[in-house]
Amino acid sequence: MAEIHDDMATEKAVHEAELRALDRPTIHAGASTPWGMAQVSRRYADGIVLHSTASHGGFHLDEIANAVVHPLYRNDNGFYEEDCEWAKIAHAFPQLFTAYERRLGDRTLRDSYPDAYERVMGVALDGSQSHMRDRQEFESRHRNDWVVIAALNSDHQPGFVECIATLGGFRGETGERRFLVPRADYQIGRHGFVIDPLKHQPYDGPSSFVTWAARQ
């Protein structure tokens, strides 16, 4: 564990040193963005500005800079929100980002845009390399299983979790069913809890769900 912490501390130190070497000056705020008026704006390079607003933020690229972004990642309006799309800018302009940011950006692209990533990079991703691919594999594997979409501790069956499940875990689907799962068994996985028909019994008794109880 000490070695892991040492690696993290080293990466943080390198990241901070690289940040100090990058020129990201604050410039005049007040620009109009899809997320509102910019309160803080930082210039990463000519034509590349990161805007922060009261609620959200992201990059804006002028026409020249936007043309550098790969067509499969490019947004025609030149705006890229800060949660995921910033990684497209890191891919197009790696020299403007630290090694840590580039690594995080690569992971973000694999997780959020696996189809485009595979075409851009000429690779095939599996579930261990992409959150979305992992989700797709989960859905394919469990399309005919009952997957929980809502759960709470039962007021009527102490020690059990009352679960509402649908086939494949798709919300909005018809044919919802309820199950009782022992509390000790209810360990949510990365993409949801799958009902085991040999262990978890269907339940049609009094419900702890307000919306379900209204149907009864």
Side-chain angles (χ1 to χ4, degrees):
M1 292 299 293
E3 183 177 345
I4 294 175
H5 289 306
D6 288 345
D7 289 344
M8 292 173 62
T10 300
E11 181 178 55
K12 181 179 179 181
V14 172
H15 170 64
E16 291 176 349
E18 291 180 341
L19 276 180
R20 289 192 293 269
L22 292 172
D23 186 22
R24 298 175 178 177
T26 300
I27 61 176
H28 178 70
S32 177
T33 80
W35 314 287
M37 182 174 292
Q39 296 181 332
V40 178
S41 298
R42 295 186 182 278
R43 183 180 65 82
Y44 277 51
D46 289 342
I48 303 176
V49 179
L50 176 63
H51 297 293
S52 296
T53 74
S55 61
H56 202 50
F59 282 95
H60 179 242
L61 276 58
D62 68 13
E63 185 176 355
I64 295 174
N66 203 37
V68 178
V69 179
H70 193 285
L72 291 176
Y73 290 149
R74 187 184 305 146
N75 294 346
D76 291 339
N77 65 2
F79 285 98
Y80 298 81
E81 59 85 26
E82 64 186 0
D83 288 342
C84 297
E85 291 186 329
W86 73 271
K88 300 176 180 181
I89 313 306
H91 174 267
F93 302 93
Q95 73 278 10
L96 302 180
F97 295 82
T98 69
Y100 169 76
E101 290 170 334
R102 293 194 298 271
R103 181 172 65 80
L104 182 60
D106 184 77
R107 180 74 213 194
T108 300
L109 292 173
R110 285 185 280 124
D111 283 342
S112 302
Y113 311 101
D115 292 337
Y117 185 94
E118 288 180 339
R119 293 177 63 185
V120 171
M121 305 300 291
V123 298
L125 299 172
D126 60 30
S128 68
Q129 299 167 308
S130 167
H131 180 82
M132 187 175 291
R133 281 285 181 267
D134 192 41
R135 176 71 195 184
Q136 292 167 341
E137 291 173 5
F138 176 89
E139 291 176 349
S140 176
R141 188 165 58 250
H142 296 293
R143 67 180 56 177
N144 295 316
D145 295 325
W146 292 96
V147 180
V148 174
I149 61 170
L152 47 71
N153 289 325
S154 175
D155 295 325
H156 306 282
Q157 299 289 334
F160 285 86
V161 177
E162 182 184 351
C163 301
I164 298 175
T166 64
L167 285 175
F170 296 105
R171 295 179 181 275
E173 295 291 317
T174 58
E176 292 180 348
R177 290 186 183 178
R178 288 184 298 148
F179 296 85
L180 285 179
V181 177
R183 195 173 300 164
D185 285 0
Y186 193 71
Q187 302 295 324
I188 304 174
R190 190 179 187 188
H191 301 296
F193 184 87
V194 181
I195 295 296
D196 183 343
L198 299 179
K199 296 174 59 179
H200 308 138
Q201 55 183 314
Y203 177 66
D204 60 2
S207 180
S208 297
F209 287 98
V210 175
T211 54
W212 194 282
R215 309 178 194 177
Q216 297 178 320

